Amino acid sequence: MWTRDNTSLQTWFERDRSLVALSDASTGRVVLEARDVDVHALVEDGFLDPRDWHGSAVEYANSLETR
């Protein structure tokens, strides 16, 4: 299970380009990565919260792993 403590988050935004990437803090393996229109879609659909990128990315990654 992913948490804030065992993951790191990278975000990048510039005009119409964006990146939200959640990685395993110990190995650097990317757990979740969304770019550009995918970031906007995940925000609009309520999976990512711009007020809490890290927390919402952790919740979303955990929900994907239980499917």
Side-chain angles (χ1 to χ4, degrees):
M1 177 171 213
W2 300 112
T3 67
R4 288 175 183 264
D5 295 328
N6 64 10
T7 59
S8 61
L9 184 76
Q10 177 187 8
T11 58
W12 179 81
F13 301 94
E14 182 180 303
R15 297 184 188 204
D16 62 340
R17 305 290 316 266
S18 55
L19 167 72
V20 175
L22 185 71
S23 301
D24 182 318
S26 62
T27 65
R29 179 180 69 91
V30 175
V31 176
L32 171 72
E33 181 177 278
R35 294 180 180 268
D36 305 331
V37 296
D38 293 332
V39 171
H40 298 290
L42 289 170
V43 169
E44 287 179 12
D45 293 342
F47 294 111
L48 291 179
D49 182 351
R51 296 168 297 181
D52 183 14
W53 289 114
H54 198 171
S56 59
V58 165
E59 286 182 31
Y60 184 57
N62 285 326
S63 76
L64 293 176
E65 294 221 349
T66 60
R67 291 182 184 179

